[in-house]
Amino acid sequence: MTTQFTHRRQELATAIKAGIAVIPTATEAIRNKDAHFPYRFDSYFHYLTGFDEPESVVVVIGGEPSRSILFCRAKSEERETWDGFRHGPEAARSQFHFDDAFAIDEIDTILPQLIENKNTIFTSIGFEPNWDKKITSWLNKTRSRAREGIAAPASLVDVREILDEMRLIKDAEELDIMRQAAKISAEAHIRAMTATTPGKYEYEVEAELLYHFKKNGSQFPAYTSIVAGGRNACVLHYIENNAVLNDGDLLLIDAGCELDGYASDITRTFPVNGKFSGPQKAIYELVLDAQRAAIEATSRGNSWQAPHDAATKVLAQGFIDLKLCHGSLDKVLEKREYLKYYMHRTGHWLGRDVHDVGNYKSDGQWRNLEPGMVLTIEPGCYIRSAPDIPEQFWNIGIRIEDDAIVKHDSGCEIITSGVPKTIKDIELLMSA
Ligand code: GLY
Ligand code: MN
Ligand code: MN
């Protein structure tokens, strides 16, 4: 087990000073009788531990020296026969470098002792009702010992304030995993593109993506894939993926795999029959220009808002040129008339969660981009049918999305560039 997890726990210990942090992993969720949803650990918990079993809690005690403790499932020959391998507390200590580890069954006895005489508990507040109840019961248990001279923590602080900032800047290990996740997703998009023909169903193309993800070691898709032919692409969160693909339509695919707890997030839009029509080309080139402008603006020291402003400006001018909006660029921007066709933001943080944690503003201002931040760059254009819109553009929905790492010197590294996005390259790939 590599040491980045112990480094992160140490960083948290320093941040919480004389407090104690208590962070549970995710609970298993029932899908329907006797069947569970695939288990996925909690992102914060895994960031600090690298431990992927359910029913686990990590405790980090600040001060000098700091300590980190894991509660996890006890070894059990019987349970391991039914449900599979468990590390158990002993391996948690030796392999995961915890100062101490206990069986999760002991937590109600041990936790109230660990929080004795600490000033603050750092945990996720209001995230999970059952967890809030547990914290309260441990606090009350400690409070009940006041006559013995034992003090219970007087304050509860949301630990996510600290962890979100830590998670926002990715370290070298994280970036390596994210590059690998992006590579697998890029290959999957190529596979989906080459498998697409008129008459296939959206779910058949989705199957190509999922096959490639799994075949290459991804544990899950990072989110439900969007495979949206024709007008379905104008529904931003379309996930039915059950329509037939028509000759002459575009296909928008927004899909990315999760690898070892890290997401990737790619969108490509291409013609079902391999050739863009004139109106499709016009909108596609516009969105691609907007993406180029946003990528150009993605550099350390620039505001988080800069890529969005750059993309929006290009799109707004394009909408005017194509007679989708009317009047001056200033007016279309000021009255936000572009929202009719471009109603979402140009990106989001990317990391363990596809919409990753981290504030976008600091002291009321958009924060600046810093090296090690990872974000998506995903302008789009979605044109529904309406009498006031030129008919040639009806039902065209296009988004182009890549994942970018803010570099140390300047500019950004696009980690999803393995999948083609110029008209020429897409048509070449699809004709092969
Ligand atoms: N796939 C989710 C998003 O692009 O934000
Ligand atoms: Mn996406
Ligand atoms: Mn995205």
Side-chain angles (χ1 to χ4, degrees), residues 200-417:
K200 273 198 182 172
Y201 282 81
E202 291 164 343
Y203 55 74
E204 293 180 78
V205 178
E206 182 183 13
E208 302 288 341
L209 296 157
L210 299 181
Y211 174 82
H212 193 85
F213 291 170
K214 202 75 183 171
K215 177 96 174 151
N216 287 277
S218 151
Q219 293 83 4
F220 313 96
Y223 52 93
T224 307
S225 310
I226 297 171
V227 182
R231 64 193 298 177
N232 294 336
C234 295
V235 179
L236 295 180
H237 293 157
Y238 176 82
I239 50 169
E240 282 83 355
N241 301 351
N242 59 5
V244 73
L245 297 170
N246 295 316
D247 200 350
D249 278 352
L250 294 174
L251 175 59
L252 181 154
I253 298 180
D254 184 345
C257 72
E258 178 177 307
L259 183 70
D260 300 342
Y262 287 85
S264 54
D265 185 7
I266 303 181
T267 308
R268 288 292 185 268
T269 312
F270 55 93
V272 168
N273 65 14
K275 275 272 180 208
F276 285 86
S277 72
Q280 289 167 353
K281 263 189 189 159
I283 304 293
Y284 191 91
E285 288 291 9
L286 175 59
V287 176
L288 191 56
D289 281 347
Q291 204 215 24
R292 284 195 192 104
I295 290 172
E296 192 72 20
T298 302
S299 192
R300 70 180 293 173
N302 284 2
S303 146
W304 157 257
Q305 179 74 355
H308 182 64
D309 282 346
T312 305
K313 198 167 161 193
V314 171
L315 288 169
Q317 183 60 54
F319 297 157
I320 295 166
D321 297 342
L322 295 169
K323 308 213 172 348
L324 290 161
C325 286
H326 306 281
S328 70
L329 178 62
D330 284 348
K331 187 205 81 171
V332 171
L333 287 173
E334 196 189 310
K335 301 206 155 152
R336 307 212 298 167
E337 289 171 9
Y338 57 82
L339 285 177
K340 186 171 174 188
Y341 311 109
Y342 181 46
M343 57 296 277
H344 60 76
R345 303 272 320 174
T346 301
H348 49 82
W349 304 133
L350 184 72
R352 287 184 165 265
D353 301 327
V354 64
H355 291 176
D356 206 31
V357 296
N359 289 329
Y360 291 93
K361 281 193 168 176
S362 165
D363 296 329
Q365 301 291 319
W366 294 114
R367 69 191 301 160
N368 284 346
L369 297 174
E370 296 171 42
M373 288 176 167
V374 184
L375 61 150
T376 65
I377 305 177
E378 50 176 308
C381 171
Y382 314 90
I383 310 175
R384 289 168 171 266
S385 56
D388 62 329
I389 296 173
E391 195 172 340
Q392 58 174 339
F393 298 127
W394 286 6
N395 298 320
I396 291 180
I398 292 173
R399 177 164 64 255
I400 306 171
E401 174 174 30
D402 283 295
D403 303 343
I405 300 172
V406 180
K407 294 210 289 199
H408 272 272
D409 39 7
S410 69
C412 63
E413 174 189 344
I414 301 294
I415 57 175
T416 44
S417 55

Side-chain angles (χ1 to χ4, degrees), residues 48 68 88 109 165 177 187 260 278 302 324 360:
L48 292 169
S68 67
T109 311
E165 279 302 300
I177 303 171
E187 292 162 355
D260 300 342
N302 284 2
L324 290 161
Y360 291 93

